[in-house]
Amino acid sequence: MSDTKLKPCPFCGYNKLKIDRKRKRAGYTGLDDIVYYDTYSVRCPKCFSRGGAVGGRVLSRITYDGEPPEWATTADKLQAKAAEAWNRRANND
């Protein structure tokens, strides 16, 4: 998971936020690796507010010298983008 610290909920101030993942199968690669479409968002379990959703295609395993192909991303990158979206506020500089 990303090391990005999440800001408290802007609506209720709760600090114990969750990063949710929704996953659906998107197909297969030419090497028979499963491709998933993952969507991540930050959620407040107290007031049920939710940040913007960030999605992308993720491989079930990395078989390309540790780096995914151009069309894929990693779960860590998607989690970091979801945290960044949550931490963005209207009064940011």
Side-chain angles (χ1 to χ4, degrees):
M1 184 173 135
S2 162
D3 292 334
T4 304
K5 182 167 173 49
L6 295 172
K7 291 182 180 179
C9 178
F11 303 105
C12 70
Y14 197 65
N15 287 323
K16 295 181 182 175
L17 304 169
K18 308 285 184 197
I19 296 182
D20 283 346
R21 178 186 78 184
K22 294 185 185 220
R23 170 173 272 191
K24 63 182 175 179
R25 188 174 294 184
Y28 294 90
T29 67
L31 300 174
D32 291 334
D33 290 338
I34 300 172
V35 179
Y36 293 104
Y37 191 84
D38 287 355
T39 305
Y40 287 88
S41 62
V42 177
R43 176 179 62 86
C44 177
K46 185 174 180 185
C47 72
F48 306 108
S49 63
R50 186 177 297 271
V54 177
R57 292 180 285 183
V58 178
L59 295 171
S60 61
R61 58 189 170 132
I62 302 298
T63 57
Y64 302 94
D65 298 326
E67 287 294 318
E70 290 179 6
W71 51 264
T73 188
T74 63
D76 290 339
K77 288 180 184 177
L78 290 175
Q79 288 178 5
K81 286 181 181 180
E84 182 181 315
W86 175 266
N87 287 338
R88 193 175 320 123
R89 300 289 192 258
N91 60 357
N92 282 354
D93 293 298

